[in-house]
Amino acid sequence: MLKPFYPQLVYFEPGALEYPLGRELMAKFKESDVEIRKTTSHNQVRNLPGENDFQKYRVAKSTLVVGVRKTLKFDTSKPSAEYAIPLATGCMGHCHYCYLQTTMGSKPYIRTYVNTEEIFDAAAQYMKERAPEITRFEAACTSDIVGIDHLTHSLKQAIEYMGQTDYGRLRFVTKFSHVDHLLDANHNYKTRFRFSINADYVIKYFEPGTSRLDDRLEAARKVAEADYPLGFIVAPIYLHEGWKEGYYTMFEKLHEQIPQRLRKDLTFEFIQHRFTKPAKKVIQKNYPMTKLELEENKRKWKWGRYGIGKYVYTTEEQEDIKNTLTEYLNTFFPEAAFEYFV
Ligand code: SF4
């Protein structure tokens, strides 16, 4: 079983110590033998140990920067929510296809923000603007927040904060099974706890540094037992030899692990694998031995956000994916809500 994340190196921005969570984290890390460095800003996080970019990238992925979120303007987060709530950025996982490799560029370290009250106040403003419409906030747009929350508990705070609001909903997705501290959070049914799941082949070859499927499913069961609305995101759906059997087995395992009584409020989202040209370059640099298929001429080109085109599966392949997976979904989980396929 994958051990919960613990950083090799921790940086503190000076402003972080003005907040209770910053001081709490400082006290916690001082008790351990982790190296603590001070920095004036996360942009100053230089001189990470490592002889080359490859090694530095790996050290950065186990470096935690404790800081203050200055920009309190939230990004939009379609199609799963209205806004992205910024609690952390970066991730300790090593998924070869991860889009954070391009969005985080040369700064792949993990940042956690300690000014949670200010972040929640900003969220309250967004809710107020839309009320009485519900406003959904996605907490895992720029990190796998569950993967670090056993250290910070800022996600737990956000769950409890949203639980008290009339018009707020929280959602996030994870590939980590370290959920125990979140089970007693007072969520008030306003947080949808989602797990990213995949066929064994994809997890085995492309998702190192994350919890294995059986552990994710065990965690999902605990989350459902704790009465959270539950969701599964099958992503990225990746065509490989035997993919139909692979995804069938995944659904079968899911069916065994989540009994009928825990299916009251269950959602599914399907997301096909895609890549951009800049992403391809970064993936090949960070994971030079990857088996990930990134052939532009086998894919269909599609306009993406910010004008950067992305490569998705061909129209026929997309149809095949959608038909196959929705058939499995209807077989094993006819009561679940299917949200979208993109
Ligand atoms: S767990 Fe998610 S955020 Fe982390 S590396 Fe994998 S895909 Fe990226």
Side-chain angles (χ1 to χ4, degrees), residues 113-288:
Y113 303 114
V114 293
N115 53 331
T116 46
E117 292 298 327
E118 289 162 14
I119 296 168
F120 301 154
D121 286 348
Q125 282 306 318
Y126 285 108
M127 282 181 250
K128 207 168 141 195
E129 279 167 21
R130 286 175 46 85
E133 291 280 307
I134 294 292
T135 303
R136 296 168 302 168
F137 295 93
E138 171 67 62
C141 276
T142 51
S143 71
D144 189 313
I145 183 78
V146 173
I148 52 167
D149 203 60
H150 58 280
L151 296 171
T152 64
H153 287 208
S154 55
L155 178 64
K156 188 171 189 179
Q157 277 185 39
I159 292 171
E160 297 200 324
Y161 173 80
M162 259 346 137
Q164 295 165 12
T165 65
D166 290 327
Y167 303 116
R169 297 288 183 276
L170 188 67
R171 317 157 59 86
F172 48 84
V173 58
T174 186
K175 289 188 174 76
F176 292 89
S177 62
H178 313 116
V179 300
D180 288 358
H181 72 289
L182 297 171
L183 299 177
D184 66 354
N186 190 5
H187 57 75
N188 218 0
Y189 311 102
K190 293 190 178 165
T191 288
R192 186 167 298 279
F193 206 130
R194 290 126 84 222
F195 287 84
S196 165
I197 53 171
N198 222 312
D200 278 337
Y201 178 95
V202 178
I203 296 181
K204 180 172 172 197
Y205 291 110
F206 307 130
E207 297 184 354
T210 65
S211 297
R212 303 297 85 183
L213 182 63
D214 289 346
D215 297 332
R216 290 182 213 173
L217 296 186
E218 199 189 317
R221 185 190 172 112
K222 288 191 215 166
V223 160
E225 301 267 13
D227 260 351
Y228 276 96
L230 178 67
F232 291 102
I233 306 192
V234 187
I237 300 164
Y238 179 81
L239 297 185
H240 56 280
E241 211 187 316
W243 68 272
K244 289 194 178 176
E245 292 76 23
Y247 285 104
Y248 186 88
T249 307
M250 180 199 78
F251 270 104
E252 220 172 20
K253 283 189 182 174
L254 200 55
H255 175 70
E256 283 162 19
Q257 194 59 249
I258 309 292
Q260 290 294 340
R261 68 185 168 81
L262 298 178
R263 298 181 185 191
K264 286 191 298 283
D265 185 358
L266 185 58
T267 58
F268 280 83
E269 295 150 82
F270 293 166
I271 305 176
Q272 64 175 306
H273 178 247
R274 75 272 315 279
F275 63 92
T276 60
K277 264 192 198 297
K280 177 175 172 173
K281 267 201 202 141
V282 188
I283 293 168
Q284 288 174 337
K285 183 172 146 242
N286 289 338
Y287 303 103

Side-chain angles (χ1 to χ4, degrees), residues 6-177:
Y6 206 82
Q8 277 183 33
L9 187 58
V10 181
Y11 284 84
F12 275 83
E13 292 174 12
L17 298 175
E18 289 167 22
Y19 294 86
L21 179 56
R23 292 194 290 275
E24 208 181 289
L25 289 172
M26 178 61 102
K28 181 192 287 240
F29 290 125
K30 270 190 172 164
E31 273 176 21
S32 72
D33 55 6
V34 66
E35 184 182 341
I36 300 174
R37 297 182 183 179
K38 295 231 171 104
T39 172
T40 48
S41 147
H42 77 101
N43 290 315
Q44 304 293 317
V45 180
R46 294 203 184 103
N47 305 324
L48 287 173
E51 282 169 16
N52 50 42
D53 286 351
F54 185 82
Q55 286 180 6
K56 282 179 196 287
Y57 175 75
R58 276 145 185 82
V59 173
K61 282 238 165 207
S62 54
T63 297
L64 180 67
V65 180
V66 179
V68 176
R69 177 75 182 188
K70 299 216 172 66
T71 319
L72 292 170
K73 188 174 179 302
F74 294 2
D75 282 335
T76 54
S77 177
K78 294 286 176 199
S80 79
E82 277 70 51
Y83 293 104
I85 185 166
L87 300 171
T89 52
C91 178
M92 70 300 293
H94 276 281
C95 304
H96 295 184
Y97 53 74
C98 179
Y99 67 96
L100 293 183
Q101 293 181 77
T102 22
T103 54
M104 306 284 295
S106 57
K107 302 185 184 102
Y109 42 75
I110 302 148
R111 294 186 73 200
T112 184
Y113 303 114
V114 293
N115 53 331
T116 46
E117 292 298 327
E118 289 162 14
I119 296 168
F120 301 154
D121 286 348
Q125 282 306 318
Y126 285 108
M127 282 181 250
K128 207 168 141 195
E129 279 167 21
R130 286 175 46 85
E133 291 280 307
I134 294 292
T135 303
R136 296 168 302 168
F137 295 93
E138 171 67 62
C141 276
T142 51
S143 71
D144 189 313
I145 183 78
V146 173
I148 52 167
D149 203 60
H150 58 280
L151 296 171
T152 64
H153 287 208
S154 55
L155 178 64
K156 188 171 189 179
Q157 277 185 39
I159 292 171
E160 297 200 324
Y161 173 80
M162 259 346 137
Q164 295 165 12
T165 65
D166 290 327
Y167 303 116
R169 297 288 183 276
L170 188 67
R171 317 157 59 86
F172 48 84
V173 58
T174 186
K175 289 188 174 76
F176 292 89
S177 62

